[in-house]
Amino acid sequence: MKPNRMIVLQLTCRGLINSQLHGHLKIPRAMQNMARPSSDLAAFRKTFSNAKNIAILTGAGVSAESGVPTFRGAGGYWRKWEAQQLATPEAFSRNPSRVWEFYHYRREVMLTKDPNPAHLAITECEERLIKQGRNVTVITQNIDELHRRAGSKNILELHGSLFKTRCMSCGHEAANYHSPICGALKGKGAPDPDTEDAQIPVQQLPRCEQKGCHGLLRPAVVWFGETLDSDILSRAEEVLDSCDLCLVVGTSSVVYPAAMFAPQVAARGVPVAEFNMEDTPATMRFKFHFHGPCGTTLPPALERHETEPK
């Protein structure tokens, strides 16, 4: 097994890049004097026109352009808490009412948002290329289902979905688009820092509807410190091992194991193109970097190439 792949497979728990892991992404001394990645769109387009298996890694930056709160960086709080303080098994065990308020708020916000031009460009590209016998796979860290709503079909959701629940008792997982998800959460979840916790009794929080169960439901998302779904992770690894072009769109490259994916692909000589508002710890490892909003930079990069059949 390749050393880089072993690193990724060993790091199956979601978390922020710590100093030890950051070392894997630091620019080697020999690379520090290299030119920056190219921003030549024509050169990227030529590479794109020849690619048969395209992997597209997406992160919070794509959703942010639809007005979705990212809970990252300055102002990235819900009430008094950062996401990392709420999106953990321990937080849910201590205060399931508060955590459900947080996720109820996020679910309700998402019902008011729409896919943006970046999501739509990816969908159009997938639909067009599949007719040519070419593959496009979206590997997303996002839990908002905007790729799905945009029409993408070939999606791997690394961190689960806001609109799925899992029973803490029987383990049953199901899609859930109820608004509100339960009566006790109606009107709750306001993000203002002065808002008091609703302190909803656990018996009134979302409950399993499987016959004879009635167990407490939790969001079917991967919380910090939890292991990613092994089947989804394996499928993602297969896609990345076989791709001949990789796009990194709107991701900060600081949440692992996803942060290791694109550098791993670049290490085997596959072109990687980064579309982001800023440089990331991995930028200098990539062949291309396009600075700016993904909804502006991605559509012209993925539109029909002159060599494609009409």
Side-chain angles (χ1 to χ4, degrees):
M1 182 179 290
K2 300 173 184 177
N4 280 344
R5 186 171 185 189
M6 289 179 67
I7 291 170
V8 172
L9 290 177
Q10 289 166 3
L11 300 172
T12 57
C13 289
R14 183 186 179 192
L16 298 176
I17 290 287
N18 60 29
S19 57
Q20 181 180 4
L21 287 170
H22 197 278
H24 291 296
L25 294 179
K26 284 183 178 177
I27 303 166
R29 187 175 300 275
M31 295 176 63
Q32 290 177 358
N33 295 323
M34 290 178 61
R36 283 189 53 79
S38 170
S39 58
D40 184 337
L41 182 60
F44 169 79
R45 296 276 292 154
K46 183 175 181 180
T47 301
F48 167 72
S49 70
N50 292 322
K52 303 296 184 186
N53 294 292
I54 302 172
I56 304 181
L57 306 173
T58 70
V62 179
S63 296
E65 292 180 33
S66 287
V68 178
T70 64
F71 302 103
R72 303 276 174 84
Y77 286 80
W78 178 82
R79 296 182 184 168
K80 306 170 186 175
W81 297 278
E82 295 178 303
Q84 300 95 287
Q85 296 174 288
L86 298 168
T88 70
E90 295 78 16
F92 190 72
S93 177
R94 285 193 304 267
N95 197 329
S97 172
R98 178 187 295 158
V99 173
W100 259 121
E101 277 199 88
F102 174 57
Y103 281 94
H104 168 66
Y105 165 73
R106 297 179 70 179
R107 284 166 57 97
E108 295 299 304
V109 166
M110 281 315 308
L111 294 175
T112 71
K113 306 301 181 183
D114 295 307
N116 64 58
H119 296 105
L120 299 174
I122 291 170
T123 297
E124 194 278 331
C125 178
E126 177 189 346
E127 291 175 346
R128 190 180 78 242
L129 265 54
I130 198 169
K131 297 173 184 176
Q132 302 170 25
R134 301 160 69 189
N135 297 312
V136 175
T137 304
V138 176
I139 303 173
T140 187
Q141 300 172 74
N142 299 333
I143 61 174
D144 50 43
E145 294 197 2
L146 283 177
H147 284 297
R148 199 172 299 280
R149 284 169 55 190
S152 288
K153 299 290 192 294
N154 201 10
I155 312 169
L156 297 176
E157 294 171 321
L158 293 175
H159 295 160
S161 167
L162 277 172
F163 297 99
K164 290 180 182 175
T165 57
R166 184 183 311 126
C167 179
M168 300 286 287
S169 297
C170 73
H172 180 71
E173 191 167 307
N176 186 312
Y177 295 92
H178 298 320
S179 175
I181 189 169
C182 70
L185 281 166
K186 184 175 182 179
K188 307 299 183 184
D192 187 271
D194 296 326
T195 303
E196 296 289 333
D197 282 359
Q199 299 183 356
I200 299 168
V202 69
Q203 296 84 1
Q204 296 178 28
L205 292 173
R207 312 299 296 194
C208 182
E209 296 180 359
Q210 291 296 104
K211 187 175 180 179
C213 183
H214 203 60
L216 176 64
L217 295 179
R218 57 159 282 180
V221 297
V222 180
W223 282 329
F224 288 99
E226 289 189 323
T227 303
L228 272 66
D229 182 285
S230 59
D231 289 339
I232 292 176
L233 189 59
S234 294
R235 287 164 62 195
E237 284 290 326
E238 290 172 4
V239 169
L240 294 165
D241 279 349
S242 63
C243 74
D244 51 7
L245 175 63
C246 179
L247 278 60
V248 185
V249 185
T251 176
S252 59
S253 294
V254 295
V255 178
Y256 65 86
M260 305 297 293
F261 289 166
Q264 171 189 340
V265 171
R268 63 181 181 87
V270 173
V272 176
E274 185 177 55
F275 296 78
N276 208 15
M277 290 292 292
E278 57 192 10
D279 285 3
T280 72
T283 296
M284 292 299 290
R285 293 179 175 268
F286 302 150
K287 185 170 182 178
F288 299 100
H289 175 89
F290 297 98
H291 181 87
C294 304
T296 301
T297 58
L298 198 60
L302 296 184
E303 67 184 7
R304 184 185 301 277
H305 190 268
E306 60 184 13
T307 60
E308 292 182 41
K310 293 184 178 180

PDB file of all heavy atoms in Angstrom, residues 213-226:
ATOM      1  N   CYS A 213     -39.567   1.121  19.255  1.00  0.00           N
ATOM      2  CA  CYS A 213     -38.274   1.682  19.656  1.00  0.00           C
ATOM      3  C   CYS A 213     -38.445   2.971  20.447  1.00  0.00           C
ATOM      4  O   CYS A 213     -38.268   3.000  21.649  1.00  0.00           O
ATOM      5  CB  CYS A 213     -37.386   1.921  18.433  1.00  0.00           C
ATOM      6  SG  CYS A 213     -35.726   2.539  18.896  1.00  0.00           S
ATOM      7  N   HIS A 214     -38.757   4.047  19.780  1.00  0.00           N
ATOM      8  CA  HIS A 214     -38.935   5.358  20.402  1.00  0.00           C
ATOM      9  C   HIS A 214     -37.639   5.880  21.045  1.00  0.00           C
ATOM     10  O   HIS A 214     -37.657   6.666  21.994  1.00  0.00           O
ATOM     11  CB  HIS A 214     -40.069   5.333  21.442  1.00  0.00           C
ATOM     12  CG  HIS A 214     -40.656   6.697  21.713  1.00  0.00           C
ATOM     13  ND1 HIS A 214     -41.254   7.471  20.732  1.00  0.00           N
ATOM     14  CD2 HIS A 214     -40.713   7.437  22.859  1.00  0.00           C
ATOM     15  CE1 HIS A 214     -41.652   8.606  21.258  1.00  0.00           C
ATOM     16  NE2 HIS A 214     -41.336   8.618  22.548  1.00  0.00           N
ATOM     17  N   GLY A 215     -36.483   5.438  20.513  1.00  0.00           N
ATOM     18  CA  GLY A 215     -35.203   5.906  21.040  1.00  0.00           C
ATOM     19  C   GLY A 215     -34.914   7.339  20.621  1.00  0.00           C
ATOM     20  O   GLY A 215     -35.543   7.885  19.713  1.00  0.00           O
ATOM     21  N   LEU A 216     -33.964   7.958  21.291  1.00  0.00           N
ATOM     22  CA  LEU A 216     -33.547   9.320  20.976  1.00  0.00           C
ATOM     23  C   LEU A 216     -32.819   9.349  19.632  1.00  0.00           C
ATOM     24  O   LEU A 216     -31.927   8.534  19.384  1.00  0.00           O
ATOM     25  CB  LEU A 216     -32.626   9.855  22.073  1.00  0.00           C
ATOM     26  CG  LEU A 216     -32.024  11.248  21.863  1.00  0.00           C
ATOM     27  CD1 LEU A 216     -33.113  12.315  21.832  1.00  0.00           C
ATOM     28  CD2 LEU A 216     -30.993  11.545  22.957  1.00  0.00           C
ATOM     29  N   LEU A 217     -33.217  10.273  18.761  1.00  0.00           N
ATOM     30  CA  LEU A 217     -32.530  10.447  17.487  1.00  0.00           C
ATOM     31  C   LEU A 217     -31.412  11.472  17.626  1.00  0.00           C
ATOM     32  O   LEU A 217     -31.486  12.387  18.439  1.00  0.00           O
ATOM     33  CB  LEU A 217     -33.507  10.928  16.410  1.00  0.00           C
ATOM     34  CG  LEU A 217     -34.626   9.989  15.990  1.00  0.00           C
ATOM     35  CD1 LEU A 217     -35.505  10.665  14.935  1.00  0.00           C
ATOM     36  CD2 LEU A 217     -34.086   8.671  15.472  1.00  0.00           C
ATOM     37  N   ARG A 218     -30.383  11.311  16.816  1.00  0.00           N
ATOM     38  CA  ARG A 218     -29.309  12.282  16.684  1.00  0.00           C
ATOM     39  C   ARG A 218     -29.149  12.599  15.201  1.00  0.00           C
ATOM     40  O   ARG A 218     -29.586  11.820  14.339  1.00  0.00           O
ATOM     41  CB  ARG A 218     -28.000  11.749  17.244  1.00  0.00           C
ATOM     42  CG  ARG A 218     -27.530  10.435  16.616  1.00  0.00           C
ATOM     43  CD  ARG A 218     -26.047  10.197  16.811  1.00  0.00           C
ATOM     44  NE  ARG A 218     -25.254  10.991  15.878  1.00  0.00           N
ATOM     45  CZ  ARG A 218     -23.915  10.974  15.830  1.00  0.00           C
ATOM     46  NH1 ARG A 218     -23.242  10.214  16.676  1.00  0.00           N
ATOM     47  NH2 ARG A 218     -23.264  11.706  14.961  1.00  0.00           N
ATOM     48  N   PRO A 219     -28.554  13.736  14.879  1.00  0.00           N
ATOM     49  CA  PRO A 219     -28.261  13.995  13.465  1.00  0.00           C
ATOM     50  C   PRO A 219     -27.291  12.932  12.926  1.00  0.00           C
ATOM     51  O   PRO A 219     -26.335  12.566  13.608  1.00  0.00           O
ATOM     52  CB  PRO A 219     -27.601  15.379  13.494  1.00  0.00           C
ATOM     53  CG  PRO A 219     -28.018  15.990  14.793  1.00  0.00           C
ATOM     54  CD  PRO A 219     -28.143  14.846  15.747  1.00  0.00           C
ATOM     55  N   ALA A 220     -27.540  12.444  11.727  1.00  0.00           N
ATOM     56  CA  ALA A 220     -26.667  11.431  11.116  1.00  0.00           C
ATOM     57  C   ALA A 220     -25.517  12.129  10.387  1.00  0.00           C
ATOM     58  O   ALA A 220     -25.398  12.078   9.160  1.00  0.00           O
ATOM     59  CB  ALA A 220     -27.456  10.532  10.178  1.00  0.00           C
ATOM     60  N   VAL A 221     -24.724  12.822  11.182  1.00  0.00           N
ATOM     61  CA  VAL A 221     -23.535  13.507  10.668  1.00  0.00           C
ATOM     62  C   VAL A 221     -22.334  12.974  11.420  1.00  0.00           C
ATOM     63  O   VAL A 221     -22.464  12.394  12.508  1.00  0.00           O
ATOM     64  CB  VAL A 221     -23.647  15.033  10.842  1.00  0.00           C
ATOM     65  CG1 VAL A 221     -24.826  15.593  10.036  1.00  0.00           C
ATOM     66  CG2 VAL A 221     -23.784  15.418  12.315  1.00  0.00           C
ATOM     67  N   VAL A 222     -21.154  13.180  10.837  1.00  0.00           N
ATOM     68  CA  VAL A 222     -19.912  12.760  11.501  1.00  0.00           C
ATOM     69  C   VAL A 222     -19.428  13.908  12.369  1.00  0.00           C
ATOM     70  O   VAL A 222     -19.050  14.966  11.865  1.00  0.00           O
ATOM     71  CB  VAL A 222     -18.840  12.357  10.478  1.00  0.00           C
ATOM     72  CG1 VAL A 222     -17.557  11.927  11.199  1.00  0.00           C
ATOM     73  CG2 VAL A 222     -19.340  11.232   9.579  1.00  0.00           C
ATOM     74  N   TRP A 223     -19.450  13.689  13.670  1.00  0.00           N
ATOM     75  CA  TRP A 223     -18.995  14.713  14.601  1.00  0.00           C
ATOM     76  C   TRP A 223     -17.483  14.632  14.782  1.00  0.00           C
ATOM     77  O   TRP A 223     -16.850  13.615  14.466  1.00  0.00           O
ATOM     78  CB  TRP A 223     -19.698  14.525  15.949  1.00  0.00           C
ATOM     79  CG  TRP A 223     -21.108  15.050  15.955  1.00  0.00           C
ATOM     80  CD1 TRP A 223     -21.596  16.092  15.233  1.00  0.00           C
ATOM     81  CD2 TRP A 223     -22.208  14.574  16.739  1.00  0.00           C
ATOM     82  NE1 TRP A 223     -22.926  16.305  15.511  1.00  0.00           N
ATOM     83  CE2 TRP A 223     -23.335  15.387  16.433  1.00  0.00           C
ATOM     84  CE3 TRP A 223     -22.364  13.549  17.672  1.00  0.00           C
ATOM     85  CZ2 TRP A 223     -24.576  15.202  17.026  1.00  0.00           C
ATOM     86  CZ3 TRP A 223     -23.599  13.366  18.268  1.00  0.00           C
ATOM     87  CH2 TRP A 223     -24.700  14.179  17.949  1.00  0.00           C
ATOM     88  N   PHE A 224     -16.919  15.713  15.287  1.00  0.00           N
ATOM     89  CA  PHE A 224     -15.483  15.734  15.553  1.00  0.00           C
ATOM     90  C   PHE A 224     -15.130  14.604  16.515  1.00  0.00           C
ATOM     91  O   PHE A 224     -15.792  14.402  17.531  1.00  0.00           O
ATOM     92  CB  PHE A 224     -15.062  17.084  16.139  1.00  0.00           C
ATOM     93  CG  PHE A 224     -15.079  18.201  15.132  1.00  0.00           C
ATOM     94  CD1 PHE A 224     -16.153  19.069  15.063  1.00  0.00           C
ATOM     95  CD2 PHE A 224     -14.029  18.365  14.238  1.00  0.00           C
ATOM     96  CE1 PHE A 224     -16.187  20.104  14.128  1.00  0.00           C
ATOM     97  CE2 PHE A 224     -14.050  19.391  13.297  1.00  0.00           C
ATOM     98  CZ  PHE A 224     -15.124  20.255  13.238  1.00  0.00           C
ATOM     99  N   GLY A 225     -14.096  13.863  16.156  1.00  0.00           N
ATOM    100  CA  GLY A 225     -13.671  12.724  16.961  1.00  0.00           C
ATOM    101  C   GLY A 225     -14.320  11.415  16.573  1.00  0.00           C
ATOM    102  O   GLY A 225     -13.937  10.361  17.088  1.00  0.00           O
ATOM    103  N   GLU A 226     -15.304  11.445  15.678  1.00  0.00           N
ATOM    104  CA  GLU A 226     -15.966  10.218  15.244  1.00  0.00           C
ATOM    105  C   GLU A 226     -15.319   9.685  13.963  1.00  0.00           C
ATOM    106  O   GLU A 226     -14.725  10.431  13.179  1.00  0.00           O
ATOM    107  CB  GLU A 226     -17.457  10.468  15.002  1.00  0.00           C
ATOM    108  CG  GLU A 226     -18.250  10.703  16.272  1.00  0.00           C
ATOM    109  CD  GLU A 226     -19.752  10.731  16.024  1.00  0.00           C
ATOM    110  OE1 GLU A 226     -20.178  11.255  14.986  1.00  0.00           O
ATOM    111  OE2 GLU A 226     -20.493  10.244  16.893  1.00  0.00           O
TER     112      GLU A 226
END
